[in-house]
Structures are given as C-alpha cells and as structure tokens.
Amino acid sequence: MKINKQMQNAQWKMFECDLINQEFEEQQSIIVPKFPKFKKPTFNKLQIVTNVSYRINVCSPSKLDDTVSISTKKSTTNSQGGSYNYIVNHYIQQIKDHINRSNRQELESQIIRNLISQKAQAIYMLDIKWAANYTQYLQNQQSNIPLQITNNNLFIDGDIRNTYRQNLKQDLDFVLMNRNTWQFLIAIYGGGPEINFNDYLGISNESQNNSREGSLQNIDISINNSQTFQKQKFTLPAIGLYNENNYCFMHAAIQSLLSIEQLTCWVTIEGKTKKQEDYKWVQSYYQIIDQIQNCKKGENIKIDMLKKLIKNQFAPNLQHDCQEFLCYLTEQLNKELKQNKYDQAITEILFQGQMMQQIQCHKCKQISTKFESFFELSLSMNNMKGLKQCLSQFFAKEVLEDDYMCNQCNGTTKAIKKYLIGTAPQFLIIHLKRFQEKKLHNQIEFQNNLDISEFCSVKAKYKLKSVIVHYGTQEKGHYVNFSLKGNQWYYFDDHRVQLAREQDVLRQQAYIIFFERLDDQLL
C-alpha cells in the first residue's frame, strides 16, 4: 500500500529494528472491511474426510491411505512428455540411504503413503499376495524385507508369455496403484512384470506383450540417471514489487511464495508450455517469475495479470487480509490444475499436510480417527508468549463431557479428543490470529528452527523461510515481508528491498510464518 513519508505513527514502529525507515501511512480515504475470524483448525474444504478406526489390518497397500495420514506428491512432465522423476528418485535415494537402518520401515511406510495418495489414475496391477506381505512389512508386523515383485502369478501357469488368468478380481487377485508408486516399488524390489490394467481389460495378446516389454525397458529410474534438483538454480534475485494502490497484502504474500525454490522450479517448467486461456493463474505467476528473472538490480516490477484476476475478490480501493489472499490464490491454483487434469496441484505438493483427529472413549478406550487435509495451522495467540506455547494449546487434549456417541459402547459417554499431524507438509505455514475483535499486538517469540515432532506421528523439524508482518491497527495498516533467499535474509516493503539479519527477523511481531522442512522430503 502507498506510503506517506511525511507522517509518522509511533504505534507502527518495528520491534527494535534498526534496519528500516519507520515512517509510513496508508491512504486515509479507504474503507476498511472487518478482518475475518478464523476457526481451529483451518482445513482444505476440497478434501474428502474419511472416518476410520485407529488400527485397521489391510491386505492392500492401496488402502493404506485409510489408516494413516497422507500428504500428496506429484511427478511433472516436460514439454516432450518425458517424466521428471525427481520426486520418485528422491524417495528411492532415501530408502537407499536407510537400507540398513532401524527406521527404514517407518520411512518407507510414510513414502508409500505419500505416493499412493496421489490422485493420478491407478492402473498398474500388483499381485495381491505380494501386496499383503508388503503391507505387513510396512505395518511392522514382520521384519523380513519383501522379495521381488511376483506379478507372474497373474498369468496362466505363471508364465508372462501366456495370456492373463481369466476372471481376475481387484482386491482378491491384484491391487491397483498409480505410476509413481509402481516405479518406486519396482526400483526398490525388482521383479515384475509391469501390467497395465487397460491392457488386461481388452488389448490383444500381442499388444500386451509389446506393451509389457516396452515398459520394462523403461523401468530403470536409478538415482544415477535422475535429474537433480538444485535449489540455487531456482533462487530468484530480490526484486521489489511496484505498488500504485493498496496491494501490500498481495506483495507480502507473493514474496513469501517467490522464496520457495521448488515452486519457482515447477512454474518455470510448466509456465513456458501452458496456454494462457487454460492456465491463467499459473501464467499469472509465471509472468512474475519471468519479469524478475529479466529485471536489473535495483529495479522493480509490476504485477498486472494477477491483479486483474483478483480484482473482483480484492478490490484495489480497499485494504485486505494477506492470509485471506494467500488462501484464495492457492485455492484458485488448485481448481485450475484439477480442472486441467493435473495429478496434483503444486500448492498441494508443497503446502498440504494431513491432520488426525483422535477421539478415545473414556469407558472402553476405543480410539476413532478422522483425517483432514490442511494448508496452514491457524493458531490462537491470546495471552501467549512463544510459538511453541501456541502450538501446545492448539494440540492440547480436550475433554468431551457426556456428548460423545461411542459405536462400541452404543451410548453417549465422556471422551478425550486430540489433534495430531499425521503427515507434516514440506512447507509449514503458521497463521497467528492477530485480528479478532481488535488487533493483538503482543510479541510471539519464534526461532530459526522449529521441531514439531511432539505434535506429529513422525519426526518433523523445520527451518525458518519467510515471515509476513502487519504494522498498524485493524482499521489502518501495512504489510511487509522478510524472506530467506539462499543464505541471505531480505526485507521487502513493496518496491523497497534491503538486506536483513536473522536477528532482525526474529524480533518481528509475525502474522504469517513459513517454515521449510529440514529433511527435504519433496526434492
């Protein structure tokens, strides 16, 4: 938003930061809408919620997503249609690195859940006996590492030169999985052959054999031949964003997204080849990246295409909530990519985690579990001093007094409800609810490193990536951004860009905080 350097408001001063000019004020003629109230937790409404019991014995890896929480991953394709297998290859390398370690089963179980959770079409057949044995291994019911995949059993006499056995039934003779899951399994365990369900449904024997042979020749996706993702190649220079109106809410959010190298990588690859009329939101983001890459040091760019796309939702003559814009932008990208038949939206790959809600009956001790996807954690900060305290309150157990219907007890009873992160996202977005009846100005302490393992079903450690700060009051304020690019922190105030120090960042009254997972599971 515009800055009037002739006026100064002491309430808007940065928290002991000697870095930035503190004099600015928004236009006084604008009408300020009320900031929305946020509920706990903030979930992605597009996701289906599944009610399942806490422990389910399944015989198929394709059903593992019903028993555990999932985050979603995706393989992209290049302009020639070839696969960018950096996600699958990274998972393969992780297993190779942990091949003889005690936590291999836990790691592999999480990987297979992530791969299976993709919404790509499941058309690759896997023998049910091998699948059942593998499921027992993942669930730690046996310690023996599975042998080679044995899809030969799906052919007459176990010979792939023969036709398929007749009347094969899904979940009795075989299970189905998507391409990435199959590639991961065949690379780790070998065996085969690859069987496409569409082949089984009606293509001639000759075509079947040719298809199998051709696929098997392309199975090798060893890490030595994989495309290596290098963050430094996709670290954008620190460029300011020109503000001719009240767009600081958008600029602060965009600068956080621009600091994420994986997002830059994906949009750079896809944005060059997609038609603007079909991918207007992807193209609007690619336009920003392209301008930055061609911008000279000290210059700034205008964001025109994205402003046109959001003008009906975020009128330029009003102030708006940065968090609300961030949610809106990711939702639009999701809708666009799903409509155009992407396996998974890049925003889901990077930001989506999954929450487990567990309710334990006080009488019979049965635990029921429900899973919901989330893109951010929206935390209360009333009377809080530190981020860990906010998280502890969010994940604290809650007693349900005589209003829980237990299926096993067949009646209402007391119960204990708690939340647990089943799959931690690659980038954890934390939204501190400063805007309620009035804006809260208390300082919430946070550090460069964040360990949320105590709130998760697996270990999850993060490092600080970006911070969005709001100065002023609920009626009149301004957004700025601190983001890490490479090893250097930068301060972004619309078109103004300055170097920053980590201690400057940690002193801020943060509104939205981005953390990047340290184990780098995605790439």
Side-chain angles (χ1 to χ4, degrees):
M1 299 182 185
K2 284 188 176 180
I3 298 173
N4 184 346
K5 293 186 178 180
Q6 296 179 354
M7 299 189 68
Q8 182 175 11
N9 188 329
Q11 294 180 343
W12 292 13
K13 289 187 177 181
M14 296 183 58
F15 185 75
E16 296 181 358
C17 184
D18 56 1
L19 177 66
I20 303 120
N21 189 332
Q22 299 167 352
E23 301 178 3
F24 59 89
E25 184 165 349
E26 299 291 345
Q27 295 182 11
Q28 299 185 25
S29 60
I30 62 177
I31 301 173
V32 183
K34 291 184 177 180
F35 286 86
K37 295 181 179 179
F38 300 96
K39 298 180 180 179
K40 167 196 171 180
T42 301
F43 290 125
N44 174 18
K45 297 179 181 179
L46 300 177
Q47 296 296 317
I48 298 174
V49 177
T50 306
N51 291 291
V52 296
S53 61
Y54 183 55
R55 292 284 296 180
I56 300 179
N57 294 321
V58 296
C59 63
S60 164
S62 66
K63 295 181 180 178
L64 281 175
D65 56 338
D66 288 339
T67 65
V68 293
S69 58
I70 323 156
S71 65
T72 50
K73 307 289 182 252
K74 169 183 179 292
S75 286
T76 56
T77 56
N78 60 22
S79 58
Q80 289 75 37
S83 177
Y84 286 96
N85 288 312
Y86 49 76
I87 296 175
V88 178
N89 282 318
H90 177 71
Y91 286 153
I92 293 169
Q93 185 61 52
Q94 279 192 311
I95 294 301
K96 289 181 178 180
D97 293 341
H98 293 75
I99 201 74
N100 294 317
R101 298 186 185 180
S102 60
N103 64 338
R104 173 186 167 170
Q105 284 169 282
E106 178 186 356
L107 174 63
E108 188 167 349
S109 179
Q110 183 173 356
I111 288 173
I112 205 71
R113 293 162 189 163
N114 289 342
L115 291 171
I116 288 174
S117 71
Q118 292 181 10
K119 296 180 181 178
Q121 188 176 8
I123 58 172
Y124 294 91
M125 299 169 68
L126 180 65
D127 177 74
I128 190 69
K129 292 181 179 179
W130 195 93
N133 182 60
Y134 185 56
T135 299
Q136 291 178 350
Y137 171 71
L138 293 181
Q139 292 184 341
N140 206 24
Q141 297 177 16
Q142 66 165 350
S143 57
N144 294 332
I145 297 175
L147 301 176
Q148 287 187 340
I149 293 172
T150 54
N151 276 353
N152 303 55
N153 296 333
L154 301 179
F155 298 88
I156 293 176
D157 297 328
D159 190 340
I160 65 173
R161 293 172 295 183
N162 296 333
T163 58
Y164 297 113
R165 287 164 45 201
Q166 294 185 357
N167 300 319
L168 294 174
K169 296 184 182 301
Q170 185 176 349
D171 293 329
L172 289 177
D173 299 294
F174 65 90
V175 295
L176 290 178
M177 60 189 57
N178 58 42
R179 177 66 174 171
N180 280 358
T181 308
W182 170 257
Q183 285 187 328
F184 174 82
L185 291 177
I186 200 69
I188 296 298
Y189 294 101
E194 177 180 301
I195 304 176
N196 190 300
F197 189 49
N198 292 331
D199 292 346
Y200 168 72
L201 291 178
I203 299 178
S204 66
N205 290 341
E206 181 179 358
S207 298
Q208 290 173 8
N209 292 333
N210 291 339
S211 175
R212 290 197 298 272
E213 292 172 1
S215 297
L216 286 171
Q217 291 173 359
N218 295 318
I219 283 294
D220 183 12
I221 52 170
S222 63
I223 202 68
N224 294 329
N225 296 324
S226 67
Q227 297 192 16
T228 302
F229 175 83
Q230 295 180 331
K231 284 189 174 182
Q232 61 270 25
K233 291 184 178 180
F234 297 97
T235 300
L236 295 172
I239 298 297
L241 307 176
Y242 179 74
N243 191 0
E244 75 280 12
N245 216 314
N246 303 304
Y247 283 104
C248 67
F249 71 93
M250 179 180 72
H251 292 167
I254 290 295
Q255 290 291 4
S256 287
L257 296 178
L258 291 172
S259 71
I260 298 173
E261 296 86 355
Q262 292 91 331
L263 182 60
T264 301
C265 172
W266 189 90
V267 176
T268 300
I269 292 171
E270 299 298 318
K272 292 179 180 179
T273 60
K274 303 307 178 189
K275 296 180 180 179
Q276 182 169 326
E277 58 269 23
D278 296 328
Y279 297 90
K280 56 185 180 181
W281 291 94
V282 172
Q283 283 295 324
S284 68
Y285 194 85
Y286 174 66
Q287 182 189 71
I288 298 171
I289 293 175
D290 186 56
Q291 288 185 83
I292 289 176
Q293 290 174 331
N294 292 284
C295 187
K296 295 180 180 179
K297 186 176 180 180
E299 296 181 345
N300 53 74
I301 66 169
K302 286 186 177 182
I303 299 179
D304 295 326
M305 186 174 176
L306 184 57
K307 287 178 181 177
K308 292 179 181 179
L309 291 177
I310 69 170
K311 66 180 181 180
N312 292 333
Q313 186 74 16
F314 298 92
N317 61 325
L318 302 176
Q319 291 195 55
H320 297 284
D321 185 3
C322 180
Q323 185 265 354
E324 193 174 288
F325 167 76
L326 192 61
C327 292
Y328 179 77
L329 178 59
T330 54
E331 182 179 358
Q332 296 307 310
L333 286 169
N334 286 342
K335 288 181 179 179
E336 180 176 272
L337 297 172
K338 299 292 180 56
Q339 290 171 356
N340 288 282
K341 299 181 180 180
Y342 271 72
D343 290 345
Q344 204 70 37
I346 184 62
T347 46
E348 290 183 353
I349 299 170
L350 295 173
F351 306 123
Q352 181 175 273
Q354 193 166 78
M355 189 77 69
M356 296 192 297
Q357 181 196 81
Q358 297 179 342
I359 301 180
Q360 184 177 34
C361 175
H362 179 73
K363 186 175 181 181
C364 69
K365 305 303 181 183
Q366 175 179 290
I367 298 176
S368 64
T369 304
K370 182 171 69 175
F371 302 94
E372 298 182 78
S373 300
F374 71 94
F375 272 72
E376 66 177 16
L377 294 182
S378 191
L379 306 181
S380 173
M381 53 179 289
N382 287 323
N383 302 317
M384 300 293 172
K385 294 183 179 180
L387 185 57
K388 267 299 185 69
Q389 189 180 7
C390 297
L391 287 164
S392 296
Q393 183 193 60
F394 182 93
F395 289 99
K397 294 180 180 180
E398 178 183 353
V399 178
L400 305 178
E401 296 285 353
D402 296 328
D403 58 356
Y404 173 67
M405 175 63 70
C406 179
N407 294 330
Q408 185 162 307
C409 295
N410 294 320
T412 58
T413 180
K414 292 182 180 180
I416 300 295
K417 181 174 72 173
K418 71 174 182 177
Y419 290 103
L420 189 70
I421 295 176
T423 300
Q426 177 71 10
F427 288 88
L428 176 64
I429 303 176
I430 293 180
H431 160 237
L432 297 173
K433 297 191 286 188
R434 288 193 177 275
F435 299 106
Q436 299 179 26
E437 295 301 324
K438 61 179 182 179
K439 182 184 174 183
L440 302 179
H441 293 273
N442 54 305
Q443 177 78 9
I444 298 297
E445 296 179 359
F446 59 97
Q447 304 299 324
N448 185 49
N449 295 303
L450 177 67
D451 187 347
I452 62 169
S453 300
E454 62 185 288
F455 312 117
C456 300
S457 61
V458 295
K459 294 180 180 179
K461 297 182 179 181
Y462 290 84
K463 64 179 180 181
L464 188 63
K465 186 66 175 177
S466 184
V467 178
I468 296 173
V469 183
H470 180 270
Y471 302 143
T473 65
Q474 184 164 303
E475 293 74 25
K476 185 168 57 176
H478 182 66
Y479 288 100
V480 299
N481 177 285
F482 291 83
S483 287
L484 183 66
K485 291 178 177 289
N487 295 319
Q488 176 62 56
W489 281 98
Y490 291 89
Y491 164 75
F492 296 93
D493 181 358
D494 290 329
H495 67 282
R496 297 174 58 212
V497 180
Q498 293 179 256
L499 296 176
R501 302 166 301 182
E502 182 179 301
Q503 57 264 40
D504 296 321
V505 181
L506 299 179
R507 289 196 293 238
Q508 302 305 308
Q509 290 186 2
Y511 178 48
I512 303 173
I513 312 174
F514 286 69
F515 288 96
E516 181 178 9
R517 196 162 177 181
L518 284 172
D519 54 8
D520 201 23
Q521 285 197 332
L522 176 63
L523 296 171

